[in-house]
Structures are given as structure tokens and as C-alpha cells.
Amino acid sequence: MNWITNYVRPRINSMLGRREVPENLWIKCPETGEMVFHKDLEDNKWVIPASGFHMKMPAKARLADLFDGGVFESLPQPKVAQDPLKFRDSKKYADRLRDSRLKTEQEDTILSGLGLVQGVKLVAVVHEFNFIGGSLGMAAGEAIVKACERALAERCPLVIFPASGGARMQEGILSLMQLPRTTVAVDMLKEAGLPYIVVLTNPTTGGVTASYAMLGDVHIAEPGAEIGFAGKRVIEQTLREKLPEGFQTAEYLLEHGMVDMVVNRHDIPTTLAQVLRILMKQPVTEAEPLAKTA
């Protein structure tokens, strides 16, 4: 323990009336290096105003932004076994779960809600990347299945916003089992004739890409999102070839037919509402044109 840092400095600061300044007041743009005040970034939906770079958006903020007036019904988080394998690497899995819950104030990586998006009722499912990299485990898989069941009960579409590094290794085969489980849940929606839309955000990789993230009726992607299965470096080492510029980005996948459109985050609610009205054979409002692909 450093007694100067932990005792002397706080005493001096209290005597002089100095307050600790939070470290996250300014956010650096990964593309340009520009420093942006955190409140300006939040007000602009976590999009850097000057460069247009799309930062990761917290799950709670995305749900509040998506639904009309920020009003929606939060779907309960299913209860599952905690740390069934008693997994430990450099840190106990139970401790990782505890730390992530304190950091995000969420039970696990998935948040789901039911509400209206420009008058269209839907269920939305959002990954929180800050919860162990948005990884897919038993809790996340069960939450997605329950969200699909709720959409079936409400006879409404389901929209999912993946942001994940893939399956959660700390749960081993139990995590991998969520790939077929979520795939079956999506098939239930399709058999019922209900639209299933995927909005690919940065990053969408691994087992999530290999399952429900690529099963949408329509695939929308945010600008610059990294989308793929294996990482670029792993592919290059395996093939012993240099990959093309922009490989695995949303724009590259749009050009090669893997996604249907690339849409700015500000335009996503309007785009979703109009695409869903078309799929459900409802009148499309003329107030806003369908967002153009990037």
C-alpha cells in the first residue's frame, strides 16, 4: 500500500478543498484523436460530432433512445445457474460476474424491452458490450429466447442489436449450446410470420455472428461496425495473405452483399419503423423518407 497516495494526498486535497476530477469527462475519437466532452457525446447518441465515428452505445441508453419518448416495458432477466463450471483463469468467473454487474448495473449482457418505435410495437434486444465483452452465455441465451417468446405472445416483430465478442468461454459447452437455442427461437418467429431485424453494431463477432446475428429478414449495420467470425489477424495468419482494406467493416460487407444497408445511428428508429411497416404490409408514413444506405 502506498501511504502517500492513499493517506497523505487525500488529506492534503481535503484541506485545500480540491475535488477529484472524473477520468471520463473527455472521450478521445479513435479515428481522429479529437477530444469530445462526454455530455456532448451522449447528447449526440455516442456519435463523434465532427468525424461521425460511432462509439459503443450503452444498452440502457440505446433502449431509451429507440422507443418513443423513452417509454418501454423492461422484460425480466431470466434466472440461470451462476458459474456452473466453477471456472477460473487469471480471475474467478464469479468475480468477473460481480465486477461486471457493479460496472454496468445489469444482471447480464442482455437487456430487452417492449414498446413503440414511431408507432410500431416491437420487442428490442440489446447487448451491453461492457458486460464481459457482450459475450453469449446461459443468461444471455435464455434472455433472447424469452424475448422471442414475448414477441410471439404479442404478435409483434423483434429487433436485436448485437455487440459481442462471441460465446462466453467461462461457460464452455453450456455457452455454445445457446447458439442452437437462439437459432430455434428465431425460427419460431419466422414460422409465425413475424419480422426479425438485426442491427449489427461494433463489434459483432464469433459465435454470435455464427447464429442469430446473421439470421435476420433484414440486416442493418451501423457505419464502421466490425462484423465477422474470426478476427482479421487470425485470418491473415491462417491464409498467410494480407486482407483487403476495410475487411470486415459494415461498408465492406454491404458492398459484398452480407448486409442490406448501413444506417447512421440517428436514422435507425425511422428506418426500423418503415422497414417493419413494409414487412407487415402496413401503410408507410410519408413524413420521413426511408434512410439511404451508406
Side-chain angles (χ1 to χ4, degrees):
M1 179 180 294
N2 188 327
W3 67 276
I4 295 178
T5 301
N6 294 297
Y7 179 76
V8 176
R9 183 181 294 172
R11 292 281 293 179
I12 294 174
N13 287 345
S14 63
M15 291 171 60
L16 298 177
R18 293 173 59 188
R19 293 183 298 174
E20 292 291 334
V21 178
E23 296 180 356
N24 60 346
L25 285 179
W26 294 87
I27 311 296
K28 185 177 181 179
C29 174
E31 196 169 76
T32 65
E34 176 192 6
M35 301 300 291
V36 182
F37 188 55
H38 76 103
K39 195 67 175 66
D40 295 336
L41 188 62
E42 292 175 13
D43 291 344
N44 202 41
K45 302 186 180 184
W46 278 265
V47 178
I48 303 292
S51 67
F53 186 89
H54 284 51
M55 304 289 287
K56 294 180 180 66
M57 189 174 189
K60 292 178 182 177
R62 192 179 286 277
L63 284 177
D65 175 71
L66 177 68
F67 289 111
D68 296 348
V71 177
F72 61 94
E73 175 192 344
S74 293
L75 304 189
Q77 180 70 43
K79 299 297 181 183
V80 299
Q82 302 293 306
D83 192 13
L85 305 181
K86 306 301 179 187
F87 192 93
R88 178 170 187 164
D89 44 64
S90 59
K91 189 175 184 179
K92 288 182 179 179
Y93 178 42
D95 292 340
R96 292 188 188 278
L97 288 173
R98 183 198 62 218
D99 293 346
S100 292
R101 285 166 182 161
L102 289 172
K103 179 181 179 181
T104 63
E105 298 180 346
Q106 293 182 201
E107 188 65 22
D108 208 270
T109 184
I110 292 291
L111 285 184
S112 305
L114 170 68
L116 300 176
V117 176
Q118 299 193 5
V120 177
K121 183 169 74 169
L122 59 81
V123 171
V125 179
V126 182
H127 278 254
E128 174 54 71
F129 189 79
N130 284 325
F131 196 106
I132 314 184
S135 52
L136 176 66
M138 291 192 300
E142 186 66 16
I144 293 170
V145 170
K146 292 298 183 184
C148 290
E149 291 175 349
R150 183 60 183 273
L152 282 167
E154 298 286 341
R155 299 293 305 170
C156 70
L158 185 141
V159 178
I160 191 165
F161 295 78
S164 176
R168 190 172 296 173
M169 70 172 189
Q170 292 89 347
E171 294 184 13
I173 188 64
L174 299 173
S175 173
L176 295 177
M177 288 170 62
Q178 307 313 309
L179 277 65
R181 292 188 73 239
T182 53
T183 299
V184 170
V186 169
D187 282 343
M188 291 166 57
L189 290 174
K190 297 190 175 187
E191 288 176 4
L194 298 173
Y196 172 64
I197 307 295
V198 181
V199 181
L200 300 157
T201 72
N202 185 46
T204 302
T205 59
V208 170
T209 306
S211 54
Y212 55 88
M214 283 296 172
L215 296 177
D217 298 311
V218 176
H219 290 101
I220 300 170
E222 290 189 336
E226 179 184 351
I227 305 161
F229 180 70
K232 183 177 180 180
R233 183 180 59 186
V234 173
I235 297 173
E236 286 184 333
Q237 289 175 346
T238 303
L239 298 179
R240 294 184 175 86
E241 291 183 10
K242 187 71 175 175
L243 294 173
E245 187 70 27
F247 182 75
Q248 291 187 326
T249 63
E251 292 75 12
Y252 184 91
L253 295 185
L254 174 65
E255 183 181 345
H256 290 80
M258 288 291 290
V259 301
D260 298 299
M261 59 183 81
V262 176
V263 179
N264 188 287
R265 187 174 291 162
H266 294 80
D267 300 324
I268 283 177
T270 297
T271 302
L272 284 174
Q274 297 206 353
V275 167
L276 288 171
R277 286 193 175 100
I278 291 171
L279 293 177
M280 295 187 294
K281 300 180 181 179
Q282 296 178 0
V284 177
T285 59
E286 297 182 0
E288 293 281 351
L290 191 63
K292 296 180 180 179
T293 59

